[in-house]
Structures are given as structure tokens and as C-alpha cells.
């Protein structure tokens, strides 16, 4: 009696079932196929891959512009949106959630390719993919129109992250060699093999050579590092107290900052006070006290009316820097009772050992002190007793008058001009947004004995990059954090960086070559089996799991 062994043994494959089930809802064995993926499913794979990389860039953008979250919120609030309606911090987490879904789907798709299974993306995944893609494109377009300056931040951030992103990208492309080598070994057409390998090698070689284009000021010798940039508190210490209030400047003095920055407005009855916005809505309760005057310019209020406003409750309610919860009980109560601050009161707090950058708001032509507010402000400053050398005068109007009345003031410009022109105008310091200057600009201004102050710098990584670039000072909302930065976050000598670069490339090249050789041997040996060998192995009783899987693969082929 002859006992026949079945030719094909259907071994339960839980991993493969989950793979095809989650990706395309094909849980049954007969639903799986090793046939070629259809053109439409290849198109969906292309859309999935494109969406993943687009969302990755979008997530990187939001993560890096964390430095300017408060400015973005303020920009939205000035367009008649309540500040609380824009929760900027939630954007990265929303994008991260979308990225997790896309990453999961992309991994499943790559696994399908690796095991030679036909890809069939489920319609629910397709709906989610299209929704994510449309949302990302629309929001990117909106931000590009509303806040286009922030895209410059991405290029600056690459100075800090590019060396590490390069290593991460190199590791990812090297890992993909397993997939590419498998497809290369399975493909029978020489033309397809050449196209596949050429495209892959082009990407790999480009990554190997990318460091030639990477330029970071922190790739330098440690002995060439300049002194730590001094820190100027932006409107006081706005993370520890409501901006432009007396408490905010007291906190700045307690932190022993080099200086503070303030925005001056003249009240309708001639009292200089501190206010940045064109209305009082964001930083006071003017809508409750004077609802009919909520959109008036601050300078159109008498000081007696301004004294009635609360300038601290908004800070605790909106929590613009997410720091209100960390305040002590006494600080919390003090912040809640802040009022609009006079310039004279602020000068009394900082005059002994703190410098000052002063900026002004243009007054409406109907203001009674429209033509004399510079004189009134100068009188207030000089009467306070603050050293003239400690005052950095930023407004460009009436500079000659200011030089005559207060010759000791440091004339400061907010315009990016060539060094010669600035020196002719008697400018000794520049106050510019950090996105408007390059490392070469900083070097040129420094060589011309012009000091450079950049605003608003809140993140330690950005502070580190500017430190390496040789910037003399920065204006910051998070001065209490930057004061604790003892050294740039990373500083690497060029020789050390080149060693890391070349070593990474060599390791990647060796791994890729090894993977291609192994995959060619592994998959090539499977194709050497013929029907006679299958029949012969079927007649022999073997319990080996590899033999059973081999039979199944050959029959599918």
C-alpha cells in the first residue's frame, strides 16, 4: 500500500494574514495573490509615499517654528480672531497623528513588496489618505500666505539639524536596500533591473555627497567660538509675567539680564506708557471696561482710563507660553492684578544695571502730542536717571534731535543696510529679525564694529547657532532658559565631522553590497527548483518547516 503525501501543505501564516488583512481587508487565504500589483494600486502607493514625505516636511516645519509660536498666535489675533482660538501647540501633535497613520500604511505596503504579495489598499485607508493629503496641502498653502516668513526658519534650522538628518536618511535608505535587492532578484527583465538599480544608486550616491552642501556655523574649532551672546528680555520677562507690565520687568531684573526691550506709546493726555499692539484687546480687559472703544488706538485713551484696565488676567487665561501653571501662588496673584505700566515706573525698576531697547508706535495724526511725543519721551527717560549709554534708541525719526538732547544714547537701526551707510548715519547697533541676516552679514557687521542684536530667539538650538555665528546679543521671550545654556548644544571640529561622514558612507556601502549579494543568492536558489525536484521532495517524509514553505512558494510562483 502506497501512502501519498500531499504536494502542498497549507501552513497557517498569521503574520501574512495580518499584513494583507490590515492593509487591504483580505483575511482569507484565497484572497492573497503573488500576481503583479495593478497600475491603480501602484498609483495609490505613489500617493501614499508622496503624502508621507509631504507630511514629514510639514511636521518638521511646525516643530522648528516652535520658536515663534507666540508671534503666530499674535498674528492671528490681530486679524480679529481671539488669541485662544489658535492653539498653535496642537498642530505638531495633529500632524504627528497623521504621520503615524501614514507611516503604518507605508510600512505595510513595503512589507507587501518584500514578501511579493499583491498590494490592495482598502478603501477606508484611501479615504484617510486623501483627507490627510488635502488637509496638508490646504494648511501649507494658508500658512504660506499668512506667515510666509516662517518658511525661512526651515533653512536656518537645517544648519542645526542637517548633519543629523543626513545620518538618519542614510540609515533609512540603507535599510531599504533589503527591499530593493529583493525586487532586483525577483525581476527577470534586465532592463527593469537596470532601471531599478540605477535609480536606487542615484539616491544613495546623492546622500553620500550631501555633506558637501551642508554648511553650519557650529562646524568649527572650539577655540574659534566667540563670547556668549548677551540676552535682552522681550517686553520684560513675558514667560514669567504679563508682557510690558511692571512685574515683567522686575522678573527681568531678578534674572540679571543684560537688557530689556519695551514698546512706548503716549496717552491722550501726554503720559508715556508701555504697549505693543495697535489696540488694547489682546493684553487688557478693554472689551469689558470700555466695549465701545475696544478697537481704538491705545494712544487715544487718557491715563485715567488706562489705569482702570487689568493687564494681567489675559496672561493667566490664555497662557501664551504655557508657563502660567508653573507660577508660584504669590506670583499668580501678582500677575492677575497687573495694570498698564508707565514708562517712568519701568525705568525706575531697571535704571541701575540694565540696558534698554526702546521702540515707539506711530501716533494717529489727530493725537494732541503728535508732533512733540519724542520730546516728551526723552524728557521722561532723562529724568529717570538711567545712564544714557544704557539706552539703545531704535526709532528712525528725529535722530538728529535725539543726538542733540541725549548724545550718549546708542543709536540703533532696525533696517538692514550696508555697513558703510550705517556708520555714516552714526548707527552703532542693529536690531534685526533673525531670519533677515546671514552668517556672512554678521561677520561683515562685526568687522565694521557694528553690534548685532537679533529677535526673537527663544529656542536653545537657535541660540546655539547664532552663538556659533558670532552674534553679540539676542532678544528673547525665554531669557530665563537661555541664561542656563552654558555652551552651544553641539559644536564639532571639521575633521571630526568629516570622519563621521566618511565612516557612515563606508558602513552604508558595505551593508548595501552585502544585502544585494545575500538577496541574489537567497532568491536565486529558490528559482533553481524544478517540478521534478518538487515531486521528489513530496515523496519523502520530511518534517522540516522550510521544505513545506518552499513547496508553497514554488506552487504560487
Amino acid at each position: 500500500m502506497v501512502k501519498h503525501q500531499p504536494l502542498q501543505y497549507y501552513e497557517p501564516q498569521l503574520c501574512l494574514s495580518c499584513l494583507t488583512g490590515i492593509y487591504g481587508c483580505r483575511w482569507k487565504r484565497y484572497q492573497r495573490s503573488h500576481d503583479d500589483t495593478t497600475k491603480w494600486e501602484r498609483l495609490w502607493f505613489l500617493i501614499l509615499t508622496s503624502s508621507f514625505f509631504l507630511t514629514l516636511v510639514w511636521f518638521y516645519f511646525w516643530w522648528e517654528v516652535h520658536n515663534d509660536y507666540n508671534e503666530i498666535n499674535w498674528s492671528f489675533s490681530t486679524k480679529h480672531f481671539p488669541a485662544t482660538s489658535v492653539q498653535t501647540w496642537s498642530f505638531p501633535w495633529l500632524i504627528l497623528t497623521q504621520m503615524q497613520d501614514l507611516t503604518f500604511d507605508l510600512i505595510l505596503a513595503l512589507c507587501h513588496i518584500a514578501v511579493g504579495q499583491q498590494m490592495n489598499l482598502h478603501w477606508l485607508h484611501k479615504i484617510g489618505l486623501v483627507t490627510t493629503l488635502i488637509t496638508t496641502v490646504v494648511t501649507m498653502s494658508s500658512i504660506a500666505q499668512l506667515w510666509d516668513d516662517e518658511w525661512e526658519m526651515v533653512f536656518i534650522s537645517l544648519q542645526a539639524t542637517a548633519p543629523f538628518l543626513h545620518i538618519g536618511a542614510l540609515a533609512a535608505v540603507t535599510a531599504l536596500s533589503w527591499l530593493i535587492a529583493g525586487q532586483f532578484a525577483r525581476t527577470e527583465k534586465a532592463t527593469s533591473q537596470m532601471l531599478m538599480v540605477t535609480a536606487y544608486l542615484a539616491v544613495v550616491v546623492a546622500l553620500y555627497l550631501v555633506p558637501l552642501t551642508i554648511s553650519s556655523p557650529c562646524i568649527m574649532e572650539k577655540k574659534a567660538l566667540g563670547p556668549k551672546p548677551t540676552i535682552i528680555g522681550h517686553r520684560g520677562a513675558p514667560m514669567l509675567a504679563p508682557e510690558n507690565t511692571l512685574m515683567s520687568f522686575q522678573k527681568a531684573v531678578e534674572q540679571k539680564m543684560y537688557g530689556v526691550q519695551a514698546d512706548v506709546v503716549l496717552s491722550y493726555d501726554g503720559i508715556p506708557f508701555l504697549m505693543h499692539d495697535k489696540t488694547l484687546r489682546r493684553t487688557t480687559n478693554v472689551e469689558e471696561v470700555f466695549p465701545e472703544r475696544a478697537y481704538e488706538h491705545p494712544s487715544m485713551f487718557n491715563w485715567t482710563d488706562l489705569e482702570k484696565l487689568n493687564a494681567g488676567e489675559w496672561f493667566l487665561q490664555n497662557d501664551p507660553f504655557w508657563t502660567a501653571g508653573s507660577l508660584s501662588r504669590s506670583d499668580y496673584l501678582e500677575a492677575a492684578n497687573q495694570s498698564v505700566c508707565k514708562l517712568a515706573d519701568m525705568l525706575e525698576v531697571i535704571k541701575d544695571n540694565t540696558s534698554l531697547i526702546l521702540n515707539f508706535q506711530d501716533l494717529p495724526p489727530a493725537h494732541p502730542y503728535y508732533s512733540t511725543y519724542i520730546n516728551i519721551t526723552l524728557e521722561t527717560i532723562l529724568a529717570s536717571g538711567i545712564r544714557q549709554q544704557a539706552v539703545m534708541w531704535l526709532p528712525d525719526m528725529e535722530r538728529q534731535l535725539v543726538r542733540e538732547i541725549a548724545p550718549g544714547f546708542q543709536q540703533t537701526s532696525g533696517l538692514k543696510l550696508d555697513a558703510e551707510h550705517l556708520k555714516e548715519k552714526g548707527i552703532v547697533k542693529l536690531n534685526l529679525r533673525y531670519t533677515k541676516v546671514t552668517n556672512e552679514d554678521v561677520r561683515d557687521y562685526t568687522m565694521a564694529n557694528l553690534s548685532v542684536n537679533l529677535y526673537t530667539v527663544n529656542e536653545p538650538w537657535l541660540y546655539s547657532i547664532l552663538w556659533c555665528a558670532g552674534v553679540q546679543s539676542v532678544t528673547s521671550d525665554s531669557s530665563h532658559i537661555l541664561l542656563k545654556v552654558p555652551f552651544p548644544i553641539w559644536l564639532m571640529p571639521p575633521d571630526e565631522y568629516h570622519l563621521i561622514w566618511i565612516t557612515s558612507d563606508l558602513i552604508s556601502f558595505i551593508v548595501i553590497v552585502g544585502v544585494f549579494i545575500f538577496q541574489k543568492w537567497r532568491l536565486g536558489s529558490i528559482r533553481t527548483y524544478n517540478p521534478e525536484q518538487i515531486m521528489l521532495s513530496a515523496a519523502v517524509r520530511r518534517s522540516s518547516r522550510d521544505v513545506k514553505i518552499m513547496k508553497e512558494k514554488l506552487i504560487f510562483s
Side-chain angles (χ1 to χ4, degrees):
M1 185 179 198
V2 180
K3 185 177 181 180
H4 295 279
Q5 182 178 348
L7 179 62
Q8 186 174 5
Y9 176 77
Y10 289 97
E11 182 186 60
Q13 293 179 293
L14 180 60
C15 182
L16 193 58
S17 298
C18 291
L19 186 67
T20 56
I22 297 173
Y23 188 77
C25 200
R26 293 174 174 244
W27 300 96
K28 304 296 184 181
R29 185 184 191 86
Y30 64 82
Q31 292 178 318
R32 298 202 293 269
S33 173
H34 284 264
D35 296 336
D36 291 338
T37 302
T38 63
K39 292 181 180 180
W40 287 111
E41 290 299 334
R42 288 177 183 172
L43 177 61
W44 278 110
F45 176 73
L46 179 62
I47 295 173
L48 174 61
T49 306
S50 304
S51 300
F52 171 78
F53 284 107
L54 186 65
T55 309
L56 185 63
V57 171
W58 190 221
F59 175 74
Y60 180 83
F61 168 80
W62 275 108
W63 195 260
E64 294 303 331
V65 301
H66 182 268
N67 184 84
D68 299 334
Y69 276 5
N70 188 58
E71 290 185 35
I72 296 174
N73 276 338
W74 174 79
S75 178
F76 275 101
S77 67
T78 57
K79 300 179 188 302
H80 309 296
F81 290 101
T84 52
S85 67
V86 184
Q87 298 294 341
T88 312
W89 57 267
S90 63
F91 278 102
W93 300 112
L94 177 61
I95 300 166
L96 181 59
T97 302
Q98 294 175 335
M99 266 197 64
Q100 288 173 341
D101 295 337
L102 291 175
T103 303
F104 185 64
D105 287 344
L106 186 59
I107 291 174
L108 289 176
L110 294 175
C111 289
H112 273 77
I113 296 174
V115 298
Q117 285 287 321
Q118 187 183 53
M119 291 188 295
N120 291 279
L121 186 62
H122 193 256
W123 63 271
L124 281 176
H125 290 299
K126 292 178 180 178
I127 292 175
L129 176 58
V130 171
T131 303
T132 299
L133 182 60
I134 293 175
T135 303
T136 304
V137 171
V138 170
T139 50
M140 288 180 76
S141 303
S142 302
I143 288 295
Q145 294 176 358
L146 296 173
W147 201 253
D148 56 343
D149 285 350
E150 286 302 323
W151 287 104
E152 298 176 20
M153 177 68 165
V154 175
F155 299 102
I156 295 175
S157 69
L158 288 175
Q159 296 179 8
T161 59
F164 310 103
L165 291 176
H166 167 249
I167 295 175
L170 199 59
V173 170
T174 302
L176 280 176
S177 65
W178 181 269
L179 184 65
I180 302 297
Q183 288 298 105
F184 175 82
R186 288 191 187 96
T187 304
E188 296 180 356
K189 293 182 179 179
T191 306
S192 300
Q193 287 181 329
M194 286 300 297
L195 287 174
M196 188 184 306
V197 172
T198 302
Y200 179 69
L201 288 180
V203 173
V204 171
V205 171
L207 274 177
Y208 287 168
L209 300 179
V210 156
L212 293 174
T213 65
I214 293 176
S215 175
S216 173
C218 286
I219 300 178
M220 62 185 298
E221 297 292 343
K222 293 182 180 179
K223 61 183 179 182
L225 182 66
K228 181 178 180 178
T230 55
I231 299 173
I232 296 172
H234 187 223
R235 306 170 197 168
M239 285 192 178
L240 306 177
E243 67 180 55
N244 276 331
T245 62
L246 197 59
M247 179 184 177
S248 185
F249 293 102
Q250 288 170 341
K251 289 292 183 183
V253 172
E254 290 173 10
Q255 296 289 326
K256 297 182 180 179
M257 296 180 196
Y258 168 75
V260 292
Q261 179 269 339
D263 307 281
V264 181
V265 185
L266 206 67
S267 68
Y268 198 77
D269 49 356
I271 305 295
F273 67 98
L274 307 182
M275 182 59 57
H276 174 268
D277 295 4
K278 300 296 184 183
T279 72
L280 298 166
R281 294 172 57 243
R282 182 175 67 91
T283 57
T284 71
N285 60 341
V286 66
E287 292 181 320
E288 298 175 8
V289 182
F290 303 109
E292 70 286 351
R293 303 180 65 189
Y295 289 91
E296 284 189 23
H297 194 274
S299 62
M300 304 307 286
F301 287 76
N302 286 318
W303 179 249
T304 51
D305 292 335
L306 293 169
E307 283 184 310
K308 299 175 183 178
L309 301 177
N310 183 294
E313 288 181 349
W314 73 273
F315 175 78
L316 303 177
Q317 292 172 359
N318 297 346
D319 199 7
F321 298 100
W322 319 293
T323 53
S326 62
L327 297 179
S328 65
R329 179 64 179 170
S330 58
D331 284 347
Y332 191 92
L333 294 175
E334 185 180 357
N337 290 288
Q338 290 300 298
S339 56
V340 178
C341 181
K342 284 184 179 180
L343 173 62
D345 294 339
M346 182 270 287
L347 291 170
E348 187 65 28
V349 169
I350 68 146
K351 67 179 182 180
D352 293 332
N353 48 19
T354 307
S355 298
L356 172 67
I357 294 183
L358 274 182
N359 199 4
F360 289 85
Q361 281 199 42
D362 294 332
L363 299 183
H367 196 281
Y369 296 97
Y370 178 75
S371 58
T372 58
Y373 74 96
I374 295 290
N375 304 67
I376 295 173
T377 305
L378 285 171
E379 290 172 6
T380 304
I381 295 171
L382 296 176
S384 70
I386 189 173
R387 295 177 300 110
Q388 289 192 21
Q389 292 78 11
V391 178
M392 290 166 269
W393 186 268
L394 186 58
D396 204 38
M397 74 286 286
E398 302 288 352
R399 282 199 186 273
Q400 188 56 40
L401 173 66
V402 174
R403 287 193 184 96
E404 293 172 0
I405 298 177
F409 283 6
Q410 296 185 56
Q411 294 299 321
T412 305
S413 175
L415 301 174
K416 182 184 175 182
L417 303 172
D418 61 275
E420 236 181 79
H421 189 192
L422 291 170
K423 296 195 80 170
E424 288 175 2
K425 294 177 63 176
I427 302 298
V428 298
K429 195 177 188 74
L430 285 98
N431 184 63
L432 302 170
R433 180 172 169 81
Y434 66 88
T435 57
K436 300 303 180 184
V437 293
T438 63
N439 300 332
E440 291 74 21
D441 293 332
V442 173
R443 184 174 59 250
D444 293 343
Y445 287 137
T446 302
M447 291 178 64
N449 293 322
L450 291 171
S451 179
V452 179
N453 178 72
L454 301 182
Y455 65 88
T456 307
V457 178
N458 297 326
E459 293 297 307
W461 70 262
L462 179 57
Y463 181 67
S464 299
I465 288 292
L466 299 178
W467 185 350
C468 294
V471 171
Q472 288 80 20
S473 63
V474 300
T475 300
S476 177
D477 293 319
S478 60
S479 47
H480 63 294
I481 296 175
L482 300 188
L483 286 169
K484 297 177 182 177
V485 177
F487 206 72
I489 289 179
W490 71 274
L491 190 66
M492 192 180 301
D495 292 341
E496 183 179 330
Y497 174 65
H498 294 153
L499 179 62
I500 294 174
W501 163 29
I502 295 171
T503 303
S504 301
D505 287 355
L506 284 175
I507 293 173
S508 171
F509 179 76
I510 293 170
V511 171
I512 289 174
V513 171
V515 167
F516 266 82
I517 293 173
F518 177 74
Q519 285 282 64
K520 180 68 175 175
W521 170 80
R522 185 178 72 91
L523 296 176
S525 63
I526 290 177
R527 285 207 301 267
T528 60
Y529 276 80
N530 54 49
E532 288 78 8
Q533 288 174 307
I534 298 174
M535 296 297 293
L536 181 61
S537 63
V540 180
R541 301 196 64 179
R542 304 171 74 176
S543 58
S544 170
R545 178 177 178 274
D546 294 335
V547 172
K548 295 175 183 177
I549 294 175
M550 183 66 70
K551 294 174 187 176
E552 183 177 345
K553 287 183 177 178
L554 287 165
I555 290 174
F556 268 116
S557 297

